[in-house]
Amino acid sequence: GNSVTQMEGPVTLSEEAFLTINCTYTATGYPSLFWYVQYPGEGLQLLLKATKADDKGSNKGFEATYRKETTSFHLEKGSVQVSDSAVYFCALSRTNTGNQFYFGTGTSLTVIP
Amino acid sequence: DAGVIQSPRHEVTEMGQEVTLRCKPISGHNSLFWYRQTMMRGLELLIYFNNNVPIDDSGMPEDRFSAKMPNASFSTLKIQPSEPRDSAVYFCASSFPRTSGRPGELFFGEGSRLTVL
């Protein structure tokens, strides 16, 4: 089946610290992979994506690389800011069999000044 | 683009009442999804439509929940009768057609926060 597993939170970091949020997936075939971010009181927004193996998605200083050999898509940022405090969701989609999405449980990040 | 529009943003009702949540997807999107988010269970897919046709409703909790998509620009999620355990934030999301070159990107509305007393 298809599923996404991401690291448990909450994560608390000081401003300018390095961030890693782990995400691994199980899927048949070749899914597309995504990171979504949810700020307090808002809906989820697409942060970055990668559609094939070895692709690197990046946005707002965040990066994630599609690793087929380890079935992973870890989110990283070199220097977090207070404004990055949010919940981060890893997700995969299988568009060749409909339009199905599978989300991880979300990881809450709090960045303190 | 106006984005996915949901209404109401907040709803407080009493147990046993009917609740109707509404969603207008982004124009040109042909897939629409209803999700429920709670602290205990996280983000759960309730149902999704492709070209106005329900494709997978296995996430709908029980017969009290129903969803319709009468046309490409409107969908409703109805709970009748509502119960306190239905209290959650309900999100609607839409996505591009598979042939668009941008499949797999979900666009979420801001959610409808439901409280059932």
PDB file of all heavy atoms in Angstrom, chain A residues 95 98-101, chain B residues 4 23-34 47-53 55 69 72 75 92-99 103-107:
ATOM      1  N   THR A  95      -0.807   9.886  -9.061  1.00  0.00           N
ATOM      2  CA  THR A  95      -1.776  10.418 -10.007  1.00  0.00           C
ATOM      3  C   THR A  95      -2.059   9.471 -11.156  1.00  0.00           C
ATOM      4  O   THR A  95      -2.943   9.715 -11.959  1.00  0.00           O
ATOM      5  CB  THR A  95      -1.295  11.767 -10.575  1.00  0.00           C
ATOM      6  OG1 THR A  95       0.018  11.593 -11.087  1.00  0.00           O
ATOM      7  CG2 THR A  95      -1.278  12.814  -9.493  1.00  0.00           C
ATOM      8  N   GLY A  98      -5.721   7.604 -10.476  1.00  0.00           N
ATOM      9  CA  GLY A  98      -6.686   8.528  -9.879  1.00  0.00           C
ATOM     10  C   GLY A  98      -5.949   9.755  -9.418  1.00  0.00           C
ATOM     11  O   GLY A  98      -5.039  10.228 -10.058  1.00  0.00           O
ATOM     12  N   ASN A  99      -6.323  10.292  -8.291  1.00  0.00           N
ATOM     13  CA  ASN A  99      -5.661  11.491  -7.798  1.00  0.00           C
ATOM     14  C   ASN A  99      -5.587  11.393  -6.283  1.00  0.00           C
ATOM     15  O   ASN A  99      -6.135  12.211  -5.571  1.00  0.00           O
ATOM     16  CB  ASN A  99      -6.450  12.719  -8.228  1.00  0.00           C
ATOM     17  CG  ASN A  99      -5.554  13.931  -8.392  1.00  0.00           C
ATOM     18  OD1 ASN A  99      -4.346  13.840  -8.299  1.00  0.00           O
ATOM     19  ND2 ASN A  99      -6.161  15.067  -8.627  1.00  0.00           N
ATOM     20  N   GLN A 100      -4.892  10.379  -5.799  1.00  0.00           N
ATOM     21  CA  GLN A 100      -4.906  10.098  -4.383  1.00  0.00           C
ATOM     22  C   GLN A 100      -3.679  10.674  -3.694  1.00  0.00           C
ATOM     23  O   GLN A 100      -2.570  10.639  -4.226  1.00  0.00           O
ATOM     24  CB  GLN A 100      -4.959   8.587  -4.156  1.00  0.00           C
ATOM     25  CG  GLN A 100      -6.254   7.983  -4.660  1.00  0.00           C
ATOM     26  CD  GLN A 100      -6.246   6.467  -4.542  1.00  0.00           C
ATOM     27  OE1 GLN A 100      -5.390   5.807  -5.094  1.00  0.00           O
ATOM     28  NE2 GLN A 100      -7.208   5.928  -3.815  1.00  0.00           N
ATOM     29  N   PHE A 101      -3.914  11.202  -2.514  1.00  0.00           N
ATOM     30  CA  PHE A 101      -2.861  11.791  -1.708  1.00  0.00           C
ATOM     31  C   PHE A 101      -2.790  11.068  -0.371  1.00  0.00           C
ATOM     32  O   PHE A 101      -3.807  10.673   0.169  1.00  0.00           O
ATOM     33  CB  PHE A 101      -3.153  13.276  -1.434  1.00  0.00           C
ATOM     34  CG  PHE A 101      -3.073  14.139  -2.646  1.00  0.00           C
ATOM     35  CD1 PHE A 101      -4.122  14.194  -3.544  1.00  0.00           C
ATOM     36  CD2 PHE A 101      -1.944  14.895  -2.898  1.00  0.00           C
ATOM     37  CE1 PHE A 101      -4.054  14.980  -4.672  1.00  0.00           C
ATOM     38  CE2 PHE A 101      -1.868  15.692  -4.026  1.00  0.00           C
ATOM     39  CZ  PHE A 101      -2.920  15.739  -4.922  1.00  0.00           C
TER      40      PHE A 101
ATOM     41  N   VAL B   4      -9.294  28.363  -2.926  1.00  0.00           N
ATOM     42  CA  VAL B   4     -10.428  27.541  -2.505  1.00  0.00           C
ATOM     43  C   VAL B   4     -11.189  28.303  -1.425  1.00  0.00           C
ATOM     44  O   VAL B   4     -10.589  28.773  -0.455  1.00  0.00           O
ATOM     45  CB  VAL B   4      -9.944  26.179  -1.969  1.00  0.00           C
ATOM     46  CG1 VAL B   4     -11.115  25.377  -1.433  1.00  0.00           C
ATOM     47  CG2 VAL B   4      -9.195  25.416  -3.055  1.00  0.00           C
ATOM     48  N   CYS B  23     -18.050  24.510  -0.156  1.00  0.00           N
ATOM     49  CA  CYS B  23     -16.727  24.683  -0.745  1.00  0.00           C
ATOM     50  C   CYS B  23     -16.847  25.066  -2.212  1.00  0.00           C
ATOM     51  O   CYS B  23     -17.612  24.452  -2.972  1.00  0.00           O
ATOM     52  CB  CYS B  23     -15.912  23.397  -0.626  1.00  0.00           C
ATOM     53  SG  CYS B  23     -14.302  23.454  -1.452  1.00  0.00           S
ATOM     54  N   LYS B  24     -16.059  26.063  -2.588  1.00  0.00           N
ATOM     55  CA  LYS B  24     -15.920  26.424  -4.001  1.00  0.00           C
ATOM     56  C   LYS B  24     -14.470  26.188  -4.392  1.00  0.00           C
ATOM     57  O   LYS B  24     -13.574  26.872  -3.892  1.00  0.00           O
ATOM     58  CB  LYS B  24     -16.284  27.891  -4.210  1.00  0.00           C
ATOM     59  CG  LYS B  24     -16.089  28.403  -5.633  1.00  0.00           C
ATOM     60  CD  LYS B  24     -16.523  29.852  -5.742  1.00  0.00           C
ATOM     61  CE  LYS B  24     -16.087  30.488  -7.062  1.00  0.00           C
ATOM     62  NZ  LYS B  24     -16.552  29.727  -8.234  1.00  0.00           N
ATOM     63  N   PRO B  25     -14.204  25.217  -5.258  1.00  0.00           N
ATOM     64  CA  PRO B  25     -12.808  24.936  -5.644  1.00  0.00           C
ATOM     65  C   PRO B  25     -12.281  25.993  -6.599  1.00  0.00           C
ATOM     66  O   PRO B  25     -13.028  26.835  -7.100  1.00  0.00           O
ATOM     67  CB  PRO B  25     -12.923  23.580  -6.343  1.00  0.00           C
ATOM     68  CG  PRO B  25     -14.301  23.563  -6.917  1.00  0.00           C
ATOM     69  CD  PRO B  25     -15.154  24.330  -5.934  1.00  0.00           C
ATOM     70  N   ILE B  26     -10.994  25.922  -6.861  1.00  0.00           N
ATOM     71  CA  ILE B  26     -10.368  26.818  -7.821  1.00  0.00           C
ATOM     72  C   ILE B  26     -10.855  26.462  -9.224  1.00  0.00           C
ATOM     73  O   ILE B  26     -10.934  25.283  -9.579  1.00  0.00           O
ATOM     74  CB  ILE B  26      -8.837  26.729  -7.730  1.00  0.00           C
ATOM     75  CG1 ILE B  26      -8.365  27.288  -6.379  1.00  0.00           C
ATOM     76  CG2 ILE B  26      -8.164  27.464  -8.878  1.00  0.00           C
ATOM     77  CD1 ILE B  26      -6.890  27.084  -6.108  1.00  0.00           C
ATOM     78  N   SER B  27     -11.187  27.480  -9.990  1.00  0.00           N
ATOM     79  CA  SER B  27     -11.671  27.260 -11.339  1.00  0.00           C
ATOM     80  C   SER B  27     -10.626  26.504 -12.171  1.00  0.00           C
ATOM     81  O   SER B  27      -9.441  26.856 -12.166  1.00  0.00           O
ATOM     82  CB  SER B  27     -11.966  28.615 -11.990  1.00  0.00           C
ATOM     83  OG  SER B  27     -12.380  28.451 -13.325  1.00  0.00           O
ATOM     84  N   GLY B  28     -11.092  25.460 -12.862  1.00  0.00           N
ATOM     85  CA  GLY B  28     -10.179  24.674 -13.689  1.00  0.00           C
ATOM     86  C   GLY B  28      -9.671  23.415 -13.005  1.00  0.00           C
ATOM     87  O   GLY B  28      -9.128  22.524 -13.654  1.00  0.00           O
ATOM     88  N   HIS B  29      -9.816  23.360 -11.690  1.00  0.00           N
ATOM     89  CA  HIS B  29      -9.451  22.137 -10.974  1.00  0.00           C
ATOM     90  C   HIS B  29     -10.565  21.119 -11.134  1.00  0.00           C
ATOM     91  O   HIS B  29     -11.747  21.472 -11.088  1.00  0.00           O
ATOM     92  CB  HIS B  29      -9.231  22.428  -9.489  1.00  0.00           C
ATOM     93  CG  HIS B  29      -7.961  23.142  -9.208  1.00  0.00           C
ATOM     94  ND1 HIS B  29      -7.470  23.306  -7.929  1.00  0.00           N
ATOM     95  CD2 HIS B  29      -7.068  23.751 -10.031  1.00  0.00           C
ATOM     96  CE1 HIS B  29      -6.333  23.960  -7.985  1.00  0.00           C
ATOM     97  NE2 HIS B  29      -6.074  24.258  -9.242  1.00  0.00           N
ATOM     98  N   ASN B  30     -10.199  19.845 -11.277  1.00  0.00           N
ATOM     99  CA  ASN B  30     -11.250  18.854 -11.479  1.00  0.00           C
ATOM    100  C   ASN B  30     -11.306  17.800 -10.376  1.00  0.00           C
ATOM    101  O   ASN B  30     -12.091  16.865 -10.456  1.00  0.00           O
ATOM    102  CB  ASN B  30     -11.100  18.163 -12.841  1.00  0.00           C
ATOM    103  CG  ASN B  30      -9.933  17.201 -12.869  1.00  0.00           C
ATOM    104  OD1 ASN B  30      -8.991  17.353 -12.099  1.00  0.00           O
ATOM    105  ND2 ASN B  30     -10.004  16.208 -13.734  1.00  0.00           N
ATOM    106  N   SER B  31     -10.442  17.950  -9.369  1.00  0.00           N
ATOM    107  CA  SER B  31     -10.509  17.041  -8.224  1.00  0.00           C
ATOM    108  C   SER B  31     -10.784  17.862  -6.975  1.00  0.00           C
ATOM    109  O   SER B  31     -10.195  18.932  -6.789  1.00  0.00           O
ATOM    110  CB  SER B  31      -9.202  16.274  -8.051  1.00  0.00           C
ATOM    111  OG  SER B  31      -8.990  15.395  -9.127  1.00  0.00           O
ATOM    112  N   LEU B  32     -11.652  17.336  -6.122  1.00  0.00           N
ATOM    113  CA  LEU B  32     -12.000  18.037  -4.884  1.00  0.00           C
ATOM    114  C   LEU B  32     -11.985  17.055  -3.731  1.00  0.00           C
ATOM    115  O   LEU B  32     -12.450  15.912  -3.876  1.00  0.00           O
ATOM    116  CB  LEU B  32     -13.393  18.678  -5.011  1.00  0.00           C
ATOM    117  CG  LEU B  32     -13.846  19.521  -3.801  1.00  0.00           C
ATOM    118  CD1 LEU B  32     -14.576  20.776  -4.269  1.00  0.00           C
ATOM    119  CD2 LEU B  32     -14.694  18.723  -2.832  1.00  0.00           C
ATOM    120  N   PHE B  33     -11.422  17.502  -2.622  1.00  0.00           N
ATOM    121  CA  PHE B  33     -11.209  16.648  -1.470  1.00  0.00           C
ATOM    122  C   PHE B  33     -11.810  17.303  -0.227  1.00  0.00           C
ATOM    123  O   PHE B  33     -11.715  18.512  -0.046  1.00  0.00           O
ATOM    124  CB  PHE B  33      -9.701  16.451  -1.217  1.00  0.00           C
ATOM    125  CG  PHE B  33      -8.941  15.905  -2.393  1.00  0.00           C
ATOM    126  CD1 PHE B  33      -8.630  16.709  -3.481  1.00  0.00           C
ATOM    127  CD2 PHE B  33      -8.517  14.585  -2.401  1.00  0.00           C
ATOM    128  CE1 PHE B  33      -7.924  16.209  -4.568  1.00  0.00           C
ATOM    129  CE2 PHE B  33      -7.808  14.083  -3.478  1.00  0.00           C
ATOM    130  CZ  PHE B  33      -7.519  14.885  -4.557  1.00  0.00           C
ATOM    131  N   TRP B  34     -12.375  16.478   0.650  1.00  0.00           N
ATOM    132  CA  TRP B  34     -12.788  16.926   1.982  1.00  0.00           C
ATOM    133  C   TRP B  34     -11.939  16.199   3.023  1.00  0.00           C
ATOM    134  O   TRP B  34     -11.866  14.970   3.019  1.00  0.00           O
ATOM    135  CB  TRP B  34     -14.259  16.620   2.237  1.00  0.00           C
ATOM    136  CG  TRP B  34     -15.220  17.563   1.588  1.00  0.00           C
ATOM    137  CD1 TRP B  34     -15.930  17.373   0.440  1.00  0.00           C
ATOM    138  CD2 TRP B  34     -15.603  18.865   2.062  1.00  0.00           C
ATOM    139  NE1 TRP B  34     -16.720  18.458   0.167  1.00  0.00           N
ATOM    140  CE2 TRP B  34     -16.534  19.392   1.147  1.00  0.00           C
ATOM    141  CE3 TRP B  34     -15.230  19.647   3.163  1.00  0.00           C
ATOM    142  CZ2 TRP B  34     -17.115  20.659   1.305  1.00  0.00           C
ATOM    143  CZ3 TRP B  34     -15.802  20.890   3.318  1.00  0.00           C
ATOM    144  CH2 TRP B  34     -16.737  21.382   2.397  1.00  0.00           C
ATOM    145  N   ILE B  47     -13.517  12.158   1.764  1.00  0.00           N
ATOM    146  CA  ILE B  47     -14.033  11.791   0.453  1.00  0.00           C
ATOM    147  C   ILE B  47     -13.329  12.628  -0.595  1.00  0.00           C
ATOM    148  O   ILE B  47     -12.874  13.734  -0.302  1.00  0.00           O
ATOM    149  CB  ILE B  47     -15.570  12.030   0.378  1.00  0.00           C
ATOM    150  CG1 ILE B  47     -16.161  11.534  -0.950  1.00  0.00           C
ATOM    151  CG2 ILE B  47     -15.904  13.501   0.606  1.00  0.00           C
ATOM    152  CD1 ILE B  47     -17.688  11.546  -0.971  1.00  0.00           C
ATOM    153  N   TYR B  48     -13.189  12.071  -1.814  1.00  0.00           N
ATOM    154  CA  TYR B  48     -12.744  12.933  -2.889  1.00  0.00           C
ATOM    155  C   TYR B  48     -13.524  12.650  -4.165  1.00  0.00           C
ATOM    156  O   TYR B  48     -14.011  11.545  -4.378  1.00  0.00           O
ATOM    157  CB  TYR B  48     -11.228  12.891  -3.091  1.00  0.00           C
ATOM    158  CG  TYR B  48     -10.658  11.789  -3.945  1.00  0.00           C
ATOM    159  CD1 TYR B  48     -10.461  11.980  -5.311  1.00  0.00           C
ATOM    160  CD2 TYR B  48     -10.240  10.606  -3.374  1.00  0.00           C
ATOM    161  CE1 TYR B  48      -9.892  10.997  -6.083  1.00  0.00           C
ATOM    162  CE2 TYR B  48      -9.671   9.614  -4.151  1.00  0.00           C
ATOM    163  CZ  TYR B  48      -9.491   9.809  -5.500  1.00  0.00           C
ATOM    164  OH  TYR B  48      -8.924   8.827  -6.267  1.00  0.00           O
ATOM    165  N   PHE B  49     -13.636  13.710  -4.967  1.00  0.00           N
ATOM    166  CA  PHE B  49     -14.378  13.694  -6.220  1.00  0.00           C
ATOM    167  C   PHE B  49     -13.409  13.924  -7.385  1.00  0.00           C
ATOM    168  O   PHE B  49     -12.466  14.710  -7.268  1.00  0.00           O
ATOM    169  CB  PHE B  49     -15.417  14.825  -6.266  1.00  0.00           C
ATOM    170  CG  PHE B  49     -16.509  14.733  -5.237  1.00  0.00           C
ATOM    171  CD1 PHE B  49     -16.314  15.186  -3.940  1.00  0.00           C
ATOM    172  CD2 PHE B  49     -17.750  14.210  -5.567  1.00  0.00           C
ATOM    173  CE1 PHE B  49     -17.323  15.124  -2.996  1.00  0.00           C
ATOM    174  CE2 PHE B  49     -18.771  14.138  -4.638  1.00  0.00           C
ATOM    175  CZ  PHE B  49     -18.559  14.595  -3.337  1.00  0.00           C
ATOM    176  N   ASN B  50     -13.692  13.294  -8.496  1.00  0.00           N
ATOM    177  CA  ASN B  50     -13.009  13.564  -9.756  1.00  0.00           C
ATOM    178  C   ASN B  50     -14.083  13.897 -10.776  1.00  0.00           C
ATOM    179  O   ASN B  50     -14.998  13.088 -10.982  1.00  0.00           O
ATOM    180  CB  ASN B  50     -12.227  12.335 -10.207  1.00  0.00           C
ATOM    181  CG  ASN B  50     -10.779  12.655 -10.473  1.00  0.00           C
ATOM    182  OD1 ASN B  50     -10.220  13.598  -9.930  1.00  0.00           O
ATOM    183  ND2 ASN B  50     -10.160  11.847 -11.299  1.00  0.00           N
ATOM    184  N   ASN B  51     -13.977  15.064 -11.393  1.00  0.00           N
ATOM    185  CA  ASN B  51     -14.996  15.479 -12.361  1.00  0.00           C
ATOM    186  C   ASN B  51     -16.402  15.342 -11.795  1.00  0.00           C
ATOM    187  O   ASN B  51     -17.302  14.812 -12.460  1.00  0.00           O
ATOM    188  CB  ASN B  51     -14.845  14.684 -13.661  1.00  0.00           C
ATOM    189  CG  ASN B  51     -13.527  14.970 -14.362  1.00  0.00           C
ATOM    190  OD1 ASN B  51     -13.099  16.121 -14.459  1.00  0.00           O
ATOM    191  ND2 ASN B  51     -12.866  13.921 -14.830  1.00  0.00           N
ATOM    192  N   ASN B  52     -16.570  15.768 -10.565  1.00  0.00           N
ATOM    193  CA  ASN B  52     -17.856  15.826  -9.849  1.00  0.00           C
ATOM    194  C   ASN B  52     -18.371  14.461  -9.406  1.00  0.00           C
ATOM    195  O   ASN B  52     -19.450  14.371  -8.820  1.00  0.00           O
ATOM    196  CB  ASN B  52     -18.951  16.500 -10.695  1.00  0.00           C
ATOM    197  CG  ASN B  52     -18.516  17.799 -11.314  1.00  0.00           C
ATOM    198  OD1 ASN B  52     -17.573  18.430 -10.851  1.00  0.00           O
ATOM    199  ND2 ASN B  52     -19.175  18.203 -12.377  1.00  0.00           N
ATOM    200  N   VAL B  53     -17.625  13.407  -9.662  1.00  0.00           N
ATOM    201  CA  VAL B  53     -18.060  12.055  -9.305  1.00  0.00           C
ATOM    202  C   VAL B  53     -17.305  11.593  -8.064  1.00  0.00           C
ATOM    203  O   VAL B  53     -16.070  11.684  -8.044  1.00  0.00           O
ATOM    204  CB  VAL B  53     -17.811  11.072 -10.469  1.00  0.00           C
ATOM    205  CG1 VAL B  53     -18.172   9.647 -10.059  1.00  0.00           C
ATOM    206  CG2 VAL B  53     -18.579  11.499 -11.709  1.00  0.00           C
ATOM    207  N   ILE B  55     -15.174   9.405  -5.896  1.00  0.00           N
ATOM    208  CA  ILE B  55     -14.281   8.306  -6.252  1.00  0.00           C
ATOM    209  C   ILE B  55     -13.995   7.416  -5.050  1.00  0.00           C
ATOM    210  O   ILE B  55     -13.953   6.198  -5.156  1.00  0.00           O
ATOM    211  CB  ILE B  55     -12.954   8.841  -6.826  1.00  0.00           C
ATOM    212  CG1 ILE B  55     -13.207   9.712  -8.053  1.00  0.00           C
ATOM    213  CG2 ILE B  55     -12.011   7.694  -7.135  1.00  0.00           C
ATOM    214  CD1 ILE B  55     -13.903   8.993  -9.189  1.00  0.00           C
ATOM    215  N   MET B  69     -21.397  16.955  -4.953  1.00  0.00           N
ATOM    216  CA  MET B  69     -20.735  17.922  -5.831  1.00  0.00           C
ATOM    217  C   MET B  69     -21.622  18.069  -7.066  1.00  0.00           C
ATOM    218  O   MET B  69     -21.404  17.369  -8.069  1.00  0.00           O
ATOM    219  CB  MET B  69     -19.330  17.483  -6.188  1.00  0.00           C
ATOM    220  CG  MET B  69     -18.540  18.574  -6.844  1.00  0.00           C
ATOM    221  SD  MET B  69     -16.782  18.224  -6.876  1.00  0.00           S
ATOM    222  CE  MET B  69     -16.187  19.775  -7.556  1.00  0.00           C
ATOM    223  N   ALA B  72     -19.048  21.620 -11.107  1.00  0.00           N
ATOM    224  CA  ALA B  72     -17.592  21.738 -10.962  1.00  0.00           C
ATOM    225  C   ALA B  72     -17.169  22.857 -10.012  1.00  0.00           C
ATOM    226  O   ALA B  72     -15.999  22.942  -9.649  1.00  0.00           O
ATOM    227  CB  ALA B  72     -16.960  21.967 -12.333  1.00  0.00           C
ATOM    228  N   SER B  75     -19.332  22.271  -3.802  1.00  0.00           N
ATOM    229  CA  SER B  75     -19.494  21.007  -3.093  1.00  0.00           C
ATOM    230  C   SER B  75     -19.992  21.288  -1.683  1.00  0.00           C
ATOM    231  O   SER B  75     -19.714  22.347  -1.110  1.00  0.00           O
ATOM    232  CB  SER B  75     -18.170  20.249  -3.028  1.00  0.00           C
ATOM    233  OG  SER B  75     -18.302  19.052  -2.273  1.00  0.00           O
ATOM    234  N   CYS B  92     -11.492  21.771   2.754  1.00  0.00           N
ATOM    235  CA  CYS B  92     -11.738  21.418   1.373  1.00  0.00           C
ATOM    236  C   CYS B  92     -10.464  21.736   0.596  1.00  0.00           C
ATOM    237  O   CYS B  92      -9.759  22.715   0.907  1.00  0.00           O
ATOM    238  CB  CYS B  92     -12.911  22.239   0.826  1.00  0.00           C
ATOM    239  SG  CYS B  92     -13.281  21.974  -0.905  1.00  0.00           S
ATOM    240  N   ALA B  93     -10.144  20.900  -0.381  1.00  0.00           N
ATOM    241  CA  ALA B  93      -8.966  21.137  -1.205  1.00  0.00           C
ATOM    242  C   ALA B  93      -9.287  20.751  -2.643  1.00  0.00           C
ATOM    243  O   ALA B  93     -10.147  19.896  -2.890  1.00  0.00           O
ATOM    244  CB  ALA B  93      -7.774  20.317  -0.699  1.00  0.00           C
ATOM    245  N   SER B  94      -8.589  21.365  -3.588  1.00  0.00           N
ATOM    246  CA  SER B  94      -8.793  21.002  -4.986  1.00  0.00           C
ATOM    247  C   SER B  94      -7.443  20.891  -5.683  1.00  0.00           C
ATOM    248  O   SER B  94      -6.422  21.389  -5.176  1.00  0.00           O
ATOM    249  CB  SER B  94      -9.693  22.018  -5.701  1.00  0.00           C
ATOM    250  OG  SER B  94      -9.087  23.288  -5.804  1.00  0.00           O
ATOM    251  N   SER B  95      -7.445  20.216  -6.816  1.00  0.00           N
ATOM    252  CA  SER B  95      -6.186  20.047  -7.552  1.00  0.00           C
ATOM    253  C   SER B  95      -6.435  20.052  -9.047  1.00  0.00           C
ATOM    254  O   SER B  95      -7.549  19.848  -9.523  1.00  0.00           O
ATOM    255  CB  SER B  95      -5.467  18.766  -7.133  1.00  0.00           C
ATOM    256  OG  SER B  95      -6.152  17.638  -7.611  1.00  0.00           O
ATOM    257  N   PHE B  96      -5.343  20.260  -9.775  1.00  0.00           N
ATOM    258  CA  PHE B  96      -5.393  20.315 -11.228  1.00  0.00           C
ATOM    259  C   PHE B  96      -5.693  18.946 -11.818  1.00  0.00           C
ATOM    260  O   PHE B  96      -5.438  17.921 -11.201  1.00  0.00           O
ATOM    261  CB  PHE B  96      -4.037  20.764 -11.776  1.00  0.00           C
ATOM    262  CG  PHE B  96      -3.711  22.193 -11.519  1.00  0.00           C
ATOM    263  CD1 PHE B  96      -2.870  22.546 -10.478  1.00  0.00           C
ATOM    264  CD2 PHE B  96      -4.219  23.190 -12.332  1.00  0.00           C
ATOM    265  CE1 PHE B  96      -2.548  23.868 -10.241  1.00  0.00           C
ATOM    266  CE2 PHE B  96      -3.897  24.513 -12.097  1.00  0.00           C
ATOM    267  CZ  PHE B  96      -3.061  24.851 -11.045  1.00  0.00           C
ATOM    268  N   PRO B  97      -6.168  18.912 -13.062  1.00  0.00           N
ATOM    269  CA  PRO B  97      -6.306  17.632 -13.755  1.00  0.00           C
ATOM    270  C   PRO B  97      -4.951  16.952 -13.939  1.00  0.00           C
ATOM    271  O   PRO B  97      -3.908  17.625 -13.949  1.00  0.00           O
ATOM    272  CB  PRO B  97      -6.897  18.015 -15.123  1.00  0.00           C
ATOM    273  CG  PRO B  97      -7.495  19.361 -14.920  1.00  0.00           C
ATOM    274  CD  PRO B  97      -6.672  20.027 -13.858  1.00  0.00           C
ATOM    275  N   ARG B  98      -4.963  15.667 -14.095  1.00  0.00           N
ATOM    276  CA  ARG B  98      -3.731  14.908 -14.283  1.00  0.00           C
ATOM    277  C   ARG B  98      -2.990  15.333 -15.538  1.00  0.00           C
ATOM    278  O   ARG B  98      -1.776  15.206 -15.620  1.00  0.00           O
ATOM    279  CB  ARG B  98      -4.058  13.416 -14.362  1.00  0.00           C
ATOM    280  CG  ARG B  98      -4.450  12.837 -13.018  1.00  0.00           C
ATOM    281  CD  ARG B  98      -5.182  11.528 -13.158  1.00  0.00           C
ATOM    282  NE  ARG B  98      -4.484  10.574 -14.010  1.00  0.00           N
ATOM    283  CZ  ARG B  98      -5.007   9.432 -14.413  1.00  0.00           C
ATOM    284  NH1 ARG B  98      -6.226   9.112 -14.075  1.00  0.00           N
ATOM    285  NH2 ARG B  98      -4.318   8.615 -15.176  1.00  0.00           N
ATOM    286  N   THR B  99      -3.690  15.843 -16.531  1.00  0.00           N
ATOM    287  CA  THR B  99      -3.058  16.225 -17.792  1.00  0.00           C
ATOM    288  C   THR B  99      -2.512  17.641 -17.767  1.00  0.00           C
ATOM    289  O   THR B  99      -1.999  18.126 -18.767  1.00  0.00           O
ATOM    290  CB  THR B  99      -4.082  16.102 -18.934  1.00  0.00           C
ATOM    291  OG1 THR B  99      -5.239  16.880 -18.589  1.00  0.00           O
ATOM    292  CG2 THR B  99      -4.497  14.656 -19.133  1.00  0.00           C
ATOM    293  N   PRO B 103      -0.111  17.963 -11.827  1.00  0.00           N
ATOM    294  CA  PRO B 103      -0.916  17.077 -10.996  1.00  0.00           C
ATOM    295  C   PRO B 103      -0.258  16.902  -9.644  1.00  0.00           C
ATOM    296  O   PRO B 103       0.933  17.115  -9.501  1.00  0.00           O
ATOM    297  CB  PRO B 103      -0.906  15.755 -11.778  1.00  0.00           C
ATOM    298  CG  PRO B 103       0.402  15.785 -12.491  1.00  0.00           C
ATOM    299  CD  PRO B 103       0.633  17.222 -12.859  1.00  0.00           C
ATOM    300  N   GLY B 104      -1.017  16.513  -8.682  1.00  0.00           N
ATOM    301  CA  GLY B 104      -0.441  16.194  -7.389  1.00  0.00           C
ATOM    302  C   GLY B 104      -0.280  17.378  -6.476  1.00  0.00           C
ATOM    303  O   GLY B 104       0.160  17.213  -5.349  1.00  0.00           O
ATOM    304  N   GLU B 105      -0.619  18.590  -6.897  1.00  0.00           N
ATOM    305  CA  GLU B 105      -0.561  19.726  -5.990  1.00  0.00           C
ATOM    306  C   GLU B 105      -1.957  19.997  -5.458  1.00  0.00           C
ATOM    307  O   GLU B 105      -2.890  20.214  -6.222  1.00  0.00           O
ATOM    308  CB  GLU B 105      -0.059  20.969  -6.711  1.00  0.00           C
ATOM    309  CG  GLU B 105       1.382  20.906  -7.133  1.00  0.00           C
ATOM    310  CD  GLU B 105       1.843  22.198  -7.770  1.00  0.00           C
ATOM    311  OE1 GLU B 105       1.395  23.268  -7.312  1.00  0.00           O
ATOM    312  OE2 GLU B 105       2.632  22.140  -8.718  1.00  0.00           O
ATOM    313  N   LEU B 106      -2.077  19.974  -4.160  1.00  0.00           N
ATOM    314  CA  LEU B 106      -3.351  20.260  -3.513  1.00  0.00           C
ATOM    315  C   LEU B 106      -3.383  21.704  -3.044  1.00  0.00           C
ATOM    316  O   LEU B 106      -2.408  22.191  -2.482  1.00  0.00           O
ATOM    317  CB  LEU B 106      -3.551  19.358  -2.299  1.00  0.00           C
ATOM    318  CG  LEU B 106      -4.200  17.999  -2.499  1.00  0.00           C
ATOM    319  CD1 LEU B 106      -4.321  17.292  -1.161  1.00  0.00           C
ATOM    320  CD2 LEU B 106      -5.536  18.122  -3.169  1.00  0.00           C
ATOM    321  N   PHE B 107      -4.515  22.348  -3.268  1.00  0.00           N
ATOM    322  CA  PHE B 107      -4.719  23.705  -2.785  1.00  0.00           C
ATOM    323  C   PHE B 107      -5.838  23.662  -1.748  1.00  0.00           C
ATOM    324  O   PHE B 107      -6.954  23.248  -2.055  1.00  0.00           O
ATOM    325  CB  PHE B 107      -5.088  24.628  -3.941  1.00  0.00           C
ATOM    326  CG  PHE B 107      -3.973  24.835  -4.922  1.00  0.00           C
ATOM    327  CD1 PHE B 107      -3.654  23.851  -5.842  1.00  0.00           C
ATOM    328  CD2 PHE B 107      -3.228  26.001  -4.913  1.00  0.00           C
ATOM    329  CE1 PHE B 107      -2.613  24.023  -6.742  1.00  0.00           C
ATOM    330  CE2 PHE B 107      -2.189  26.189  -5.813  1.00  0.00           C
ATOM    331  CZ  PHE B 107      -1.881  25.200  -6.720  1.00  0.00           C
TER     332      PHE B 107
END
